[in-house]
Amino acid sequence: MNRLFAAVLGLALVAGAQAAEKVYQVASDAAYAPFEWQDKNQKVVGFDIDVLSAAAAKAGIKVQFHNTPWEGIFATLATGDRDIVASAVTITPERKQTMDFSDPYFEAKQLIAVTANSPIKRFADLKGKKVGVQTGTTGDEVVQKLLGKTSPNIKRFESTPLALQELLSGGVDAVVADNGVVVNFLANNKNAKLKTLDDPSFAKEHYGFAVKKGNKDLLAKINKGLATIKADGTYDKIYRKYFGN
């Protein structure tokens, strides 16, 4: 083997290895702070992004994030446009029928937001009231169980912040949404005269990263990475960054 041929062969092998390196494409609805949102440079950032990035690094895989509207976000897995959905997705029996989930990485629950002077005290008080939810979320599902699936009093929005803005303007009487997002909105809108209500009927929920049904190889890599960052303190550090102690 002459030197020129060896050099060319070496370059070809390097190029082939680079070409074969998989970059997993991740869908995130970047309108759900503090879990995912876009910074001033339109980069997708947030708790979910940091957790999955850290887990991916430990698992030895690469990920790339894309802002993807919530409506239709799960369809991107089926079509192959995206490999992972990282978007504060609650693991539910219904969703597990069409996609697979990683081990849980965050515990959440629903929270009711109302105006400071609202007479509403509990979830049952929302009967006959106009309630804002984000379309297709577990908050939407919870309110449907109380008011009925076709109730005209359920007002659906593209994002939870939009629903909360509607509450501030008087368009709805309450908003039901994940606690992390509601609390973050109030923390960043100090002058908003809103209060939150926690109802004992709300069950605990767990977020997971979603992958296409049957993609066991990718799921195993994600779970390996999650287990590692939980064991070595990386997860706790990320958690404190967004939620304190």
Side-chain angles (χ1 to χ4, degrees), residues 55-236:
K58 296 292 185 180
I61 60 175
K62 292 188 176 182
V63 290
Q64 183 176 11
F65 296 89
H66 304 271
N67 184 17
T68 309
W70 181 259
E71 289 191 61
I73 197 170
F74 299 123
T76 64
L77 295 177
T79 60
D81 292 333
R82 301 289 182 262
D83 302 295
I84 306 168
V85 172
S87 199
V89 182
T90 299
I91 303 170
T92 67
E94 293 77 16
R95 287 172 177 165
K96 288 173 75 172
Q97 292 178 13
T98 57
M99 64 194 85
D100 288 334
F101 284 95
S102 70
D103 294 333
Y105 67 89
F106 187 83
E107 182 178 286
K109 68 183 303 184
Q110 295 303 303
L111 201 61
I112 304 167
V114 295
T115 54
N117 59 354
S118 172
I120 295 170
K121 302 293 184 183
R122 58 188 65 82
F123 185 53
D125 293 341
L126 298 183
K127 288 183 178 179
K129 304 294 185 182
K130 294 180 180 178
V131 184
V133 298
Q134 181 176 348
T135 303
T137 60
T138 46
D140 188 353
E141 295 173 6
V142 165
V143 174
Q144 285 180 42
K145 292 178 182 177
L146 180 71
L147 303 184
K149 289 186 176 182
T150 60
S151 172
N153 282 333
I154 302 177
K155 307 300 179 182
R156 296 181 172 88
F157 298 86
E158 291 183 2
S159 71
T160 296
L162 285 177
L164 290 165
Q165 289 291 352
E166 187 72 4
L167 175 61
L168 287 171
S169 66
V172 294
D173 301 300
V175 169
V176 176
D178 287 10
N179 57 344
V181 181
V182 174
V183 170
N184 182 76
F185 182 89
L186 268 61
N188 287 284
N189 293 272
K190 300 290 188 181
N191 296 324
K193 296 180 179 180
L194 300 178
K195 63 182 179 180
T196 60
L197 305 172
D198 187 4
D199 193 282
S201 68
F202 292 148
K204 290 181 180 179
E205 302 176 4
H206 295 92
Y207 295 166
F209 299 119
V211 303
K212 187 175 182 179
K213 192 74 176 175
N215 195 344
K216 295 180 179 179
D217 179 62
L218 176 55
L219 204 61
K221 291 175 180 176
I222 295 172
N223 284 336
K224 177 184 177 181
L226 282 174
T228 302
I229 65 172
K230 288 177 180 179
D232 69 8
T234 301
Y235 177 89
D236 290 338

Side-chain angles (χ1 to χ4, degrees), residues 8-23 60 62:
V8 172
L9 179 61
L11 289 172
L13 290 172
V14 170
Q18 290 176 340
E21 188 174 28
K22 171 74 173 179
V23 178
K62 292 188 176 182

Side-chain angles (χ1 to χ4, degrees), residues 27-50:
S28 295
D29 179 19
Y32 214 66
F35 298 97
E36 42 269 324
W37 76 94
Q38 286 183 302
D39 64 13
K40 62 181 180 181
N41 298 316
Q42 302 303 301
K43 181 181 178 182
V44 182
V45 296
F47 176 76
D48 287 355
I49 280 66
D50 285 1

